[in-house]
Amino acid sequence: MSEIKAAENKLVERRQRIFSGIQPTGTLTLGNYIGALRNFKILESEYDCLYSIVDLHAITVRQDAAELRKNCLKVMSLYLAVGLDPEKSLIYFQSHVPAHAELGWILDCYTYMGELNRMTQFKDKSAKHADNINAGLFTYPSLMAADILLYQTNLVPIGADQKQHLELARNLAERFNGVYGDTFIVPEGYFPKVGARIMSLKEPTRKMSKSDAPDTYIGILDEPNIIRKKFRSAVTDSDNSVVFDTENKPGIANLMSILSAVTGKSMDQITAEYDGRGYGVFKDAVADAVIAELEPIQARFKEINTDKAYLEEVMTKGAQRAAALASRTMLKVRRKVGLAALKL
Ligand code: AMP
Ligand code: TRP
């Protein structure tokens, strides 16, 4: 069998691949956990997974250097604290694999201004950081596409807010394949059935975001008494019924989604159990369930985050293995685009 044929067969045999990333900015929230992080662990046993801490994305907004460095290790520790196994999944920093930036640039040259102009995250972030609407913030979705396409990813576990970015990644893969022949796998999104969009506790029509005020979100590392307090002061409504109605009762619907995501109970079960008992009882039940879910993660986090040697070992191995995978795609891309091969 020719070498190429053998390599192709090997590709067919490999398990489906997963890629996802989280930005190391601020404190991760319950939204990040339910929307993404929890699925990372669920998918680990069946897929070939790469989970990155996407630090190059984080600098599209001005960051304090010392804080960013600390946050990178924090997100890595959280990956490990939710139970990801670095022997099974590649856990690494995006900036440690320069191919992300390289493919990001190449894909920039295949992305239209109009496509980037439509991105709602760009619009939101430009409004929030009006004094720093930089080119990186604008082209961020092409870099995200590069993250995904670099590894011939099949499935991308993300929250609903990233759907538009994933769509661009799919379009870029198809566009590139259309010009140069099959080069990239066209990835699919993997969204949680409940909780793909966890909302702010204070304004339940906006998504829960780590860049908003602390009383609007539950931090994965929030102390139990803080979690309880935040749920107690969550905005609801005045009709005192625990019924799932996102349009008319967004606050209660959000709390029901959280409870359902964490316990696996259906909306009907939740209504049967809590309707008519008062919002106080219901809010405390949500708090109890979230605290029970997060406490073991918090305990493991405390141990892992202080073990710098271990974290360094994980990130180094992860980066080396990821770089080797990325270089396969880059060889192909460089050749197809017409960049001269460098033979050392
Ligand atoms: P980010 O914090 O923007 O890097 O997001 C990391 C991951 O968490 C992405 O997959 C997001 O879609 C997901 N995510 C962020 N906020 C939420 C939310 N409020 N609800 C559900 N998923 C979310
Ligand atoms: N843009 C994503 C966010 O803000 C983070 C991210 C960057 C990502 N690259 C990715 C998510 C690749 C999935 C796959 O949430």
Side-chain angles (χ1 to χ4, degrees), residues 156-269:
V156 186
I158 36 175
D161 62 322
Q162 295 303 313
K163 216 173 201 161
Q164 202 184 20
H165 290 162
L166 180 72
E167 211 42 54
L168 178 76
R170 290 169 53 84
N171 290 340
L172 289 178
E174 279 166 359
R175 185 170 305 154
F176 198 98
N177 289 349
V179 179
Y180 299 107
D182 276 355
T183 310
F184 297 120
I185 287 182
V186 181
E188 305 281 339
Y190 183 94
F191 302 94
K193 282 191 193 71
V194 204
R197 196 176 175 82
I198 300 294
M199 303 310 225
S200 156
L201 298 178
K202 292 291 176 191
E203 271 180 83
T205 48
R206 293 178 40 161
K207 80 161 180 174
M208 181 180 283
S209 166
K210 56 194 175 192
S211 52
D212 289 344
D215 63 344
T216 64
Y217 64 77
I218 302 291
I220 300 182
L221 297 174
D222 278 352
E223 302 273 343
N225 61 328
I226 302 283
I227 294 179
R228 197 173 299 282
K229 217 167 101 192
K230 286 183 180 178
F231 275 123
R232 281 189 181 159
S233 63
V235 167
T236 49
D237 51 57
S238 55
D239 68 18
N240 242 346
S241 62
V242 180
V243 173
F244 191 73
D245 178 350
T246 44
E247 203 143 297
N248 300 307
K249 297 167 65 61
I252 287 295
N254 188 37
L255 296 180
M256 289 179 79
S257 296
I258 292 172
L259 188 59
S260 170
V262 171
T263 61
K265 288 180 183 166
S266 70
M267 298 307 175
D268 286 346
Q269 275 173 311

Side-chain angles (χ1 to χ4, degrees), residues 19-23 32 54 57 94 121 125 140 143-145 147-148 156-158 161-162 165 207:
F19 182 95
S20 197
I22 296 186
Q23 296 190 58
N32 295 126
V54 288
H57 278 94
Q94 180 189 31
Q121 187 168 318
K125 286 205 175 176
Y140 165 123
L143 179 60
M144 175 162 162
D147 299 340
I148 297 166
V156 186
I158 36 175
D161 62 322
Q162 295 303 313
H165 290 162
K207 80 161 180 174

Side-chain angles (χ1 to χ4, degrees), residues 47-107:
Y47 294 86
D48 223 2
C49 302
L50 290 107
Y51 295 124
S52 188
I53 293 103
V54 288
D55 47 2
L56 294 176
H57 278 94
I59 60 169
T60 55
V61 169
R62 201 67 73 229
Q63 303 288 342
D64 175 79
E67 190 78 11
L68 178 60
R69 217 168 283 127
K70 221 167 72 194
N71 271 331
C72 283
L73 290 178
K74 228 168 142 180
V75 175
M76 176 167 268
S77 304
L78 269 175
Y79 279 6
L80 296 164
V82 298
L84 294 181
D85 176 355
E87 293 301 320
K88 288 192 192 145
S89 300
L90 298 194
I91 298 176
Y92 72 99
F93 292 173
Q94 180 189 31
S95 67
H96 287 172
V97 180
H100 285 259
E102 188 184 356
L103 185 60
W105 171 256
I106 292 175
L107 292 181

